[in-house]
Amino acid sequence: MQRYKVKGKQFKIQNPKFKIQNWKGLIYALVAVFTCLVLTCNFSLAATTEAKHYTELQLPPLPEIKLPKYERFVLQNGLVVYLMEDHELPLVNGTAFVRTGNRLEPQQKVGLAGFTGAVMRTGGTKKHSADELNEILEQRAASVEANIGEASGGASFDALSEDLETVFGLFAEVLRSPVFAQEKLDLAKTQAKGGIARRNDNPDGIASREFKKLIYGKDSPYARTIEYVTVDQVSREDLLKFYRQYFHPNNMILGIVGDFEAKKMRSLVQAKFGDWNRNPSIAKPKLPNVLPANTGGVFFVNQPQLTQSSVLIGHLGGRFDNPDYAALDVLNGVLNGFGGRLFNELRSRQGLAYSVYGRWSPRYDYPGMFIAGGQTRSDATVQFVKALQAEIKRIQTQRVTAKELAFAKESTLNSFVFNFQDPSQTLSRLMRYEYYGYPADFLFRYQKAVAATTAADVQRVAREYLKPEKIVTLVVGNQTAIQPPLTQLAAQVTPIDVTIPGSQPQVKN
């Protein structure tokens, strides 16, 4: 028993902990009773309302998508700038696109562009070493990155609004005055060699790499592979030369989105980039020519340790600016996804694969591919390939049903909104269209074209663009376990040797 005194009076409380627990128990009981009453009421209401099938549900039309307000201007040195304010969060991010890419590097120095992009950032600048850059950015939870991919290069930054001036200054330094520290290049080359050593560990990676060689040619910039010998050929001077060739303000597009005032941001861009001299002699790079390396054939990579086969079939494709791109994308919708022909036939009915796909996959400024494939059991490999071929021929001869067409179009149109999930995504798309010379409203034209696509359009493009007689077939799998053998697909099956060449320890699978 405990005694408590309040204003000179004593109160006795026996076992107060027990009483408090009783009160808690009573409260929990009341909550449980109330919950049961609510649920019972809801179930009663539900029972009086007849449940509707999902096809009977009336959904409102999707709202019209409008681009956020943005500003575009060009500095006197030729730098194209996009600004888009977004005050939802105190953040600012930006991206610079540079007209370059690893497709422009010399064949004997594959990897040069990637090293240039990486060491631009990791190698520090004339004002700040790599460690100093890292420390300043880490203190502000900010980032500055740089890279060069297949068809473009550049840099990006992310910062809190209050740190914008500092981080943007570092971003400008990385773009304008990288020093390409030798030790950072050495590290990047060591990492690249590690990737080469491991590149045969993943059968899907083997299939993707070797299939590109079969379509574009092993020496094509769109298919060639980094090797030990090409890594060893790259020097710091090569990085400097590649950088100086392409990194100029009149060869660049800069986009910034976030929590800023456009007038102040314009002044900041001018302060950091306005005195960067243009290169008057720079010209738009001449792109490599693209021709099909193979127009048919069955090819095989033997991987004895595998219990299933990775299969790819296809041929050279086209570009986004093809007038039939919308109809071809609806064709993709008929073939792919839950409810698509490939899923229904090869997975659900025949049980040949867990995942299967077939798509017309274009590129912005060079031909992409039509590619189909998936993974299947070793003993089902031949049946899987034949089933893929049959579906490609069927979509050319059997017109899609009204249900298939509606499903494909609605899936595409309903997903259209995901192209505009946030302002930075929208701005990036606008910049990309300018980079490749597409109209700013390209995506909206595509949207209208999809809505206007008919079943006859789908069959027409299937007949015109899909070439069953020119399909290249690649299988990565266990030769012994593939029964019946691949010779049931073609009298001649061409083996592909993926042994890694070079003086380094070789990896064989």
Side-chain angles (χ1 to χ4, degrees):
M1 180 174 67
Q2 299 182 25
R3 297 177 184 273
Y4 294 85
K5 184 177 287 187
V6 181
K7 292 184 177 179
K9 296 182 180 181
Q10 288 187 351
F11 293 84
K12 298 178 181 179
I13 299 179
Q14 294 188 6
N15 204 352
K17 186 175 181 180
F18 175 75
K19 291 189 176 184
I20 291 172
Q21 289 176 343
N22 281 350
W23 274 107
K24 286 183 178 179
L26 179 60
I27 291 171
Y28 291 153
L30 290 173
V31 170
V33 171
F34 179 75
T35 302
C36 289
L37 289 172
V38 171
L39 291 174
T40 303
C41 180
N42 286 342
F43 282 133
S44 299
L45 290 173
T48 60
T49 304
E50 184 180 354
K52 291 184 177 181
H53 192 268
Y54 77 94
T55 57
E56 298 175 334
L57 296 177
Q58 298 295 321
L59 301 175
L62 292 173
E64 181 182 357
I65 296 174
K66 295 182 180 179
L67 292 179
K69 183 180 178 182
Y70 68 91
E71 181 180 351
R72 180 191 179 279
F73 60 94
V74 183
L75 299 186
Q76 288 187 346
N77 59 12
L79 177 65
V80 177
V81 183
Y82 283 84
L83 300 180
M84 183 179 287
E85 294 186 38
D86 176 23
H87 301 286
E88 185 174 355
L89 294 171
L91 302 172
V92 181
N93 63 74
T95 302
F97 285 172
V98 180
R99 297 187 188 281
T100 183
N102 61 37
R103 60 185 176 180
L104 303 177
E105 65 193 359
Q107 183 173 350
Q108 69 275 19
K109 297 186 179 183
V110 174
L112 166 60
F115 293 143
T116 303
V119 184
M120 272 184 67
R121 167 63 180 86
T122 62
T125 69
K126 292 179 180 178
K127 292 183 179 179
H128 296 92
S129 69
D131 290 341
E132 289 172 340
L133 277 176
N134 293 337
E135 184 177 353
I136 295 171
L137 293 169
E138 287 174 4
Q139 289 173 347
R140 291 161 175 78
S143 69
V144 173
E145 304 296 338
N147 69 86
I148 297 178
E150 178 185 80
S152 67
S156 63
F157 74 89
D158 286 279
L160 292 169
S161 307
E162 62 188 44
D163 300 320
L164 174 59
E165 188 167 348
T166 298
V167 176
F168 190 71
L170 298 178
F171 168 75
E173 284 183 35
V174 169
L175 276 171
R176 296 187 58 177
S177 58
V179 296
F180 298 105
Q182 181 66 53
E183 66 271 17
K184 298 300 182 181
L185 172 59
D186 294 339
L187 176 60
K189 292 170 72 170
T190 299
Q191 292 171 334
K193 289 181 178 180
I196 294 171
R198 296 187 301 272
R199 73 182 183 198
N200 287 338
D201 292 351
N202 185 340
D204 289 340
I206 296 173
S208 177
R209 182 184 73 236
E210 298 303 322
F211 191 74
K212 287 181 180 178
K213 293 179 183 179
L214 294 174
I215 298 300
Y216 294 107
K218 63 181 179 63
D219 294 328
S220 167
Y222 302 111
R224 59 195 179 193
T225 305
I226 187 171
E227 302 287 359
Y228 292 123
V229 64
T230 67
V231 171
D232 290 336
Q233 290 292 321
V234 176
S235 67
R236 178 177 177 273
E237 186 58 38
D238 293 321
L239 270 62
L240 288 166
K241 182 179 178 181
F242 194 88
Y243 167 81
R244 291 166 182 160
Q245 185 173 359
Y246 297 107
F247 280 75
H248 302 280
N250 54 321
N251 199 39
M252 187 180 302
I253 302 173
L254 172 64
I256 306 168
V257 61
D259 183 31
F260 57 80
E261 294 181 14
K263 185 177 180 181
K264 292 182 178 179
M265 192 71 241
R266 197 187 250 262
S267 299
L268 186 58
V269 171
Q270 179 64 42
K272 299 299 181 181
F273 288 99
D275 62 344
W276 192 4
N277 293 330
R278 66 185 294 134
N279 181 351
S281 61
I282 198 166
K284 191 173 181 179
K286 184 179 180 181
L287 300 183
N289 194 26
V290 176
L291 294 172
N294 291 280
T295 54
V298 177
F299 300 83
F300 179 65
V301 177
N302 187 28
Q303 298 284 274
Q305 78 281 9
L306 297 181
T307 58
Q308 67 176 15
S309 298
S310 293
V311 177
L312 291 176
I313 72 172
H315 53 68
L316 195 65
R319 300 178 9 160
F320 282 110
D321 55 2
N322 186 315
D324 287 322
Y325 165 55
L328 286 162
D329 211 30
V330 175
L331 170 71
N332 287 349
V334 174
L335 287 173
N336 289 289
F338 290 97
R341 287 189 177 185
L342 294 177
F343 183 94
N344 289 343
E345 180 63 22
L346 276 75
R347 172 177 161 160
S348 298
R349 198 182 75 80
Q350 298 188 40
L352 295 174
Y354 182 77
S355 66
V356 59
Y357 58 89
R359 59 178 177 267
W360 183 264
S361 184
R363 293 293 182 267
Y364 281 102
D365 59 359
Y366 73 93
M369 295 183 288
F370 169 71
I371 186 168
Q375 295 77 39
T376 189
R377 306 185 317 272
S378 296
D379 62 350
T381 303
V382 170
Q383 185 183 355
F384 180 75
V385 173
K386 288 183 176 180
L388 278 175
Q389 294 172 342
E391 287 305 307
I392 293 170
K393 292 177 181 177
R394 184 163 76 94
I395 205 165
Q396 293 183 309
T397 57
Q398 182 180 320
R399 180 175 291 196
V400 300
T401 65
K403 183 178 180 181
E404 287 178 314
L405 180 68
F407 174 81
K409 290 173 63 173
E410 287 173 9
S411 298
T412 301
L413 294 172
N414 289 344
S415 64
F416 187 76
V417 66
F418 295 113
N419 293 291
F420 303 92
Q421 293 181 86
D422 58 69
S424 61
Q425 186 185 36
T426 303
L427 186 62
S428 177
R429 187 174 293 277
L430 288 170
M431 294 169 61
R432 196 177 306 118
Y433 288 156
E434 175 156 350
Y435 183 91
Y436 290 107
Y438 282 61
D441 64 343
F442 173 77
L443 200 60
F444 293 97
R445 298 184 189 185
Y446 156 79
Q447 183 188 32
K448 292 179 180 178
V450 168
T453 298
T454 65
D457 292 329
V458 174
Q459 190 172 44
R460 175 182 60 80
V461 297
R463 289 175 174 172
E464 183 175 347
Y465 294 97
L466 303 187
K467 308 293 184 183
E469 72 281 0
K470 294 183 179 180
I471 278 181
V472 175
T473 301
L474 173 65
V475 176
V476 178
N478 184 339
Q479 185 174 18
T480 303
I482 295 177
Q483 297 297 334
L486 296 179
T487 50
Q488 286 205 0
L489 298 174
Q492 179 180 351
V493 176
T494 304
I496 296 176
D497 183 6
V498 294
T499 302
I500 300 172
S503 58
Q504 301 292 329
Q506 295 189 3
V507 177
K508 291 186 178 182
N509 284 325

PDB file of all heavy atoms in Angstrom, residues 210 214 298-302 474-475 479 486 492-498:
ATOM      1  N   GLU A 210      26.703 -11.561 -77.015  1.00  0.00           N
ATOM      2  CA  GLU A 210      26.983 -12.263 -78.264  1.00  0.00           C
ATOM      3  C   GLU A 210      25.892 -12.036 -79.310  1.00  0.00           C
ATOM      4  O   GLU A 210      26.168 -12.040 -80.516  1.00  0.00           O
ATOM      5  CB  GLU A 210      27.156 -13.759 -78.002  1.00  0.00           C
ATOM      6  CG  GLU A 210      28.328 -14.100 -77.087  1.00  0.00           C
ATOM      7  CD  GLU A 210      29.657 -13.577 -77.617  1.00  0.00           C
ATOM      8  OE1 GLU A 210      29.868 -13.626 -78.847  1.00  0.00           O
ATOM      9  OE2 GLU A 210      30.484 -13.121 -76.796  1.00  0.00           O
ATOM     10  N   LEU A 214      26.113 -10.772 -83.295  1.00  0.00           N
ATOM     11  CA  LEU A 214      25.492 -11.461 -84.425  1.00  0.00           C
ATOM     12  C   LEU A 214      24.639 -10.528 -85.264  1.00  0.00           C
ATOM     13  O   LEU A 214      24.533 -10.697 -86.476  1.00  0.00           O
ATOM     14  CB  LEU A 214      24.644 -12.631 -83.917  1.00  0.00           C
ATOM     15  CG  LEU A 214      25.401 -13.786 -83.252  1.00  0.00           C
ATOM     16  CD1 LEU A 214      24.431 -14.790 -82.664  1.00  0.00           C
ATOM     17  CD2 LEU A 214      26.334 -14.470 -84.260  1.00  0.00           C
ATOM     18  N   VAL A 298      21.626 -20.367 -86.913  1.00  0.00           N
ATOM     19  CA  VAL A 298      21.502 -20.805 -85.531  1.00  0.00           C
ATOM     20  C   VAL A 298      22.896 -20.854 -84.926  1.00  0.00           C
ATOM     21  O   VAL A 298      23.804 -21.467 -85.495  1.00  0.00           O
ATOM     22  CB  VAL A 298      20.817 -22.185 -85.430  1.00  0.00           C
ATOM     23  CG1 VAL A 298      20.775 -22.662 -83.976  1.00  0.00           C
ATOM     24  CG2 VAL A 298      19.409 -22.127 -86.018  1.00  0.00           C
ATOM     25  N   PHE A 299      23.068 -20.218 -83.765  1.00  0.00           N
ATOM     26  CA  PHE A 299      24.366 -20.104 -83.118  1.00  0.00           C
ATOM     27  C   PHE A 299      24.243 -20.612 -81.676  1.00  0.00           C
ATOM     28  O   PHE A 299      23.190 -20.499 -81.054  1.00  0.00           O
ATOM     29  CB  PHE A 299      24.843 -18.652 -83.145  1.00  0.00           C
ATOM     30  CG  PHE A 299      24.996 -18.103 -84.537  1.00  0.00           C
ATOM     31  CD1 PHE A 299      23.890 -17.599 -85.228  1.00  0.00           C
ATOM     32  CD2 PHE A 299      26.230 -18.108 -85.163  1.00  0.00           C
ATOM     33  CE1 PHE A 299      24.020 -17.105 -86.519  1.00  0.00           C
ATOM     34  CE2 PHE A 299      26.374 -17.607 -86.460  1.00  0.00           C
ATOM     35  CZ  PHE A 299      25.262 -17.108 -87.144  1.00  0.00           C
ATOM     36  N   PHE A 300      25.362 -21.121 -81.163  1.00  0.00           N
ATOM     37  CA  PHE A 300      25.294 -21.794 -79.866  1.00  0.00           C
ATOM     38  C   PHE A 300      26.538 -21.516 -79.033  1.00  0.00           C
ATOM     39  O   PHE A 300      27.662 -21.553 -79.538  1.00  0.00           O
ATOM     40  CB  PHE A 300      25.148 -23.305 -80.073  1.00  0.00           C
ATOM     41  CG  PHE A 300      25.096 -24.099 -78.802  1.00  0.00           C
ATOM     42  CD1 PHE A 300      24.038 -23.954 -77.913  1.00  0.00           C
ATOM     43  CD2 PHE A 300      26.110 -24.991 -78.488  1.00  0.00           C
ATOM     44  CE1 PHE A 300      23.996 -24.678 -76.737  1.00  0.00           C
ATOM     45  CE2 PHE A 300      26.068 -25.729 -77.312  1.00  0.00           C
ATOM     46  CZ  PHE A 300      25.007 -25.571 -76.429  1.00  0.00           C
ATOM     47  N   VAL A 301      26.314 -21.209 -77.742  1.00  0.00           N
ATOM     48  CA  VAL A 301      27.400 -21.076 -76.773  1.00  0.00           C
ATOM     49  C   VAL A 301      27.243 -22.196 -75.758  1.00  0.00           C
ATOM     50  O   VAL A 301      26.232 -22.257 -75.039  1.00  0.00           O
ATOM     51  CB  VAL A 301      27.355 -19.712 -76.054  1.00  0.00           C
ATOM     52  CG1 VAL A 301      28.469 -19.645 -75.000  1.00  0.00           C
ATOM     53  CG2 VAL A 301      27.486 -18.568 -77.047  1.00  0.00           C
ATOM     54  N   ASN A 302      28.214 -23.088 -75.701  1.00  0.00           N
ATOM     55  CA  ASN A 302      28.123 -24.242 -74.808  1.00  0.00           C
ATOM     56  C   ASN A 302      28.567 -23.864 -73.400  1.00  0.00           C
ATOM     57  O   ASN A 302      29.688 -23.392 -73.181  1.00  0.00           O
ATOM     58  CB  ASN A 302      28.991 -25.390 -75.336  1.00  0.00           C
ATOM     59  CG  ASN A 302      28.784 -26.668 -74.524  1.00  0.00           C
ATOM     60  OD1 ASN A 302      27.713 -26.885 -73.968  1.00  0.00           O
ATOM     61  ND2 ASN A 302      29.804 -27.514 -74.465  1.00  0.00           N
ATOM     62  N   LEU A 474      20.119 -17.533 -81.220  1.00  0.00           N
ATOM     63  CA  LEU A 474      21.263 -17.790 -80.348  1.00  0.00           C
ATOM     64  C   LEU A 474      20.783 -18.541 -79.109  1.00  0.00           C
ATOM     65  O   LEU A 474      19.806 -18.149 -78.466  1.00  0.00           O
ATOM     66  CB  LEU A 474      21.920 -16.481 -79.915  1.00  0.00           C
ATOM     67  CG  LEU A 474      23.028 -16.607 -78.852  1.00  0.00           C
ATOM     68  CD1 LEU A 474      24.223 -17.391 -79.393  1.00  0.00           C
ATOM     69  CD2 LEU A 474      23.471 -15.230 -78.357  1.00  0.00           C
ATOM     70  N   VAL A 475      21.481 -19.607 -78.768  1.00  0.00           N
ATOM     71  CA  VAL A 475      21.184 -20.389 -77.570  1.00  0.00           C
ATOM     72  C   VAL A 475      22.446 -20.481 -76.723  1.00  0.00           C
ATOM     73  O   VAL A 475      23.521 -20.824 -77.219  1.00  0.00           O
ATOM     74  CB  VAL A 475      20.687 -21.810 -77.925  1.00  0.00           C
ATOM     75  CG1 VAL A 475      20.476 -22.634 -76.649  1.00  0.00           C
ATOM     76  CG2 VAL A 475      19.405 -21.742 -78.744  1.00  0.00           C
ATOM     77  N   GLN A 479      25.055 -28.259 -74.014  1.00  0.00           N
ATOM     78  CA  GLN A 479      24.908 -28.998 -75.264  1.00  0.00           C
ATOM     79  C   GLN A 479      24.427 -30.431 -75.034  1.00  0.00           C
ATOM     80  O   GLN A 479      23.577 -30.929 -75.765  1.00  0.00           O
ATOM     81  CB  GLN A 479      26.241 -29.014 -76.013  1.00  0.00           C
ATOM     82  CG  GLN A 479      26.157 -29.657 -77.391  1.00  0.00           C
ATOM     83  CD  GLN A 479      27.468 -29.517 -78.145  1.00  0.00           C
ATOM     84  OE1 GLN A 479      28.505 -29.258 -77.553  1.00  0.00           O
ATOM     85  NE2 GLN A 479      27.421 -29.690 -79.453  1.00  0.00           N
ATOM     86  N   LEU A 486      19.933 -29.027 -81.353  1.00  0.00           N
ATOM     87  CA  LEU A 486      19.632 -27.818 -82.123  1.00  0.00           C
ATOM     88  C   LEU A 486      19.660 -28.049 -83.627  1.00  0.00           C
ATOM     89  O   LEU A 486      19.175 -27.210 -84.396  1.00  0.00           O
ATOM     90  CB  LEU A 486      20.623 -26.710 -81.747  1.00  0.00           C
ATOM     91  CG  LEU A 486      20.566 -26.207 -80.301  1.00  0.00           C
ATOM     92  CD1 LEU A 486      21.629 -25.139 -80.074  1.00  0.00           C
ATOM     93  CD2 LEU A 486      19.189 -25.663 -79.966  1.00  0.00           C
ATOM     94  N   GLN A 492      23.011 -26.664 -89.969  1.00  0.00           N
ATOM     95  CA  GLN A 492      24.301 -26.199 -89.466  1.00  0.00           C
ATOM     96  C   GLN A 492      24.077 -25.321 -88.239  1.00  0.00           C
ATOM     97  O   GLN A 492      23.356 -24.322 -88.296  1.00  0.00           O
ATOM     98  CB  GLN A 492      25.052 -25.410 -90.530  1.00  0.00           C
ATOM     99  CG  GLN A 492      26.398 -24.882 -90.049  1.00  0.00           C
ATOM    100  CD  GLN A 492      27.131 -24.109 -91.129  1.00  0.00           C
ATOM    101  OE1 GLN A 492      26.710 -24.097 -92.283  1.00  0.00           O
ATOM    102  NE2 GLN A 492      28.234 -23.458 -90.754  1.00  0.00           N
ATOM    103  N   VAL A 493      24.687 -25.689 -87.135  1.00  0.00           N
ATOM    104  CA  VAL A 493      24.666 -24.890 -85.907  1.00  0.00           C
ATOM    105  C   VAL A 493      26.088 -24.390 -85.670  1.00  0.00           C
ATOM    106  O   VAL A 493      27.031 -25.179 -85.538  1.00  0.00           O
ATOM    107  CB  VAL A 493      24.175 -25.720 -84.701  1.00  0.00           C
ATOM    108  CG1 VAL A 493      24.249 -24.890 -83.430  1.00  0.00           C
ATOM    109  CG2 VAL A 493      22.757 -26.221 -84.952  1.00  0.00           C
ATOM    110  N   THR A 494      26.255 -23.062 -85.625  1.00  0.00           N
ATOM    111  CA  THR A 494      27.579 -22.465 -85.515  1.00  0.00           C
ATOM    112  C   THR A 494      27.952 -22.243 -84.057  1.00  0.00           C
ATOM    113  O   THR A 494      27.261 -21.495 -83.343  1.00  0.00           O
ATOM    114  CB  THR A 494      27.630 -21.122 -86.261  1.00  0.00           C
ATOM    115  OG1 THR A 494      27.229 -21.317 -87.618  1.00  0.00           O
ATOM    116  CG2 THR A 494      29.031 -20.529 -86.221  1.00  0.00           C
ATOM    117  N   PRO A 495      29.022 -22.858 -83.578  1.00  0.00           N
ATOM    118  CA  PRO A 495      29.441 -22.646 -82.183  1.00  0.00           C
ATOM    119  C   PRO A 495      30.130 -21.287 -82.023  1.00  0.00           C
ATOM    120  O   PRO A 495      30.784 -20.796 -82.946  1.00  0.00           O
ATOM    121  CB  PRO A 495      30.415 -23.792 -81.926  1.00  0.00           C
ATOM    122  CG  PRO A 495      30.971 -24.112 -83.276  1.00  0.00           C
ATOM    123  CD  PRO A 495      29.876 -23.840 -84.273  1.00  0.00           C
ATOM    124  N   ILE A 496      29.980 -20.703 -80.848  1.00  0.00           N
ATOM    125  CA  ILE A 496      30.635 -19.439 -80.524  1.00  0.00           C
ATOM    126  C   ILE A 496      31.550 -19.662 -79.329  1.00  0.00           C
ATOM    127  O   ILE A 496      31.119 -20.159 -78.285  1.00  0.00           O
ATOM    128  CB  ILE A 496      29.606 -18.337 -80.193  1.00  0.00           C
ATOM    129  CG1 ILE A 496      28.738 -18.032 -81.417  1.00  0.00           C
ATOM    130  CG2 ILE A 496      30.302 -17.071 -79.716  1.00  0.00           C
ATOM    131  CD1 ILE A 496      27.645 -17.023 -81.149  1.00  0.00           C
ATOM    132  N   ASP A 497      32.800 -19.295 -79.491  1.00  0.00           N
ATOM    133  CA  ASP A 497      33.788 -19.443 -78.418  1.00  0.00           C
ATOM    134  C   ASP A 497      33.825 -18.150 -77.601  1.00  0.00           C
ATOM    135  O   ASP A 497      34.115 -17.085 -78.134  1.00  0.00           O
ATOM    136  CB  ASP A 497      35.163 -19.726 -79.010  1.00  0.00           C
ATOM    137  CG  ASP A 497      36.236 -19.964 -77.949  1.00  0.00           C
ATOM    138  OD1 ASP A 497      35.878 -20.017 -76.751  1.00  0.00           O
ATOM    139  OD2 ASP A 497      37.415 -20.098 -78.321  1.00  0.00           O
ATOM    140  N   VAL A 498      33.494 -18.225 -76.305  1.00  0.00           N
ATOM    141  CA  VAL A 498      33.484 -17.026 -75.463  1.00  0.00           C
ATOM    142  C   VAL A 498      34.687 -16.997 -74.518  1.00  0.00           C
ATOM    143  O   VAL A 498      34.697 -16.251 -73.538  1.00  0.00           O
ATOM    144  CB  VAL A 498      32.172 -16.924 -74.657  1.00  0.00           C
ATOM    145  CG1 VAL A 498      30.983 -16.706 -75.569  1.00  0.00           C
ATOM    146  CG2 VAL A 498      31.963 -18.150 -73.775  1.00  0.00           C
TER     147      VAL A 498
END
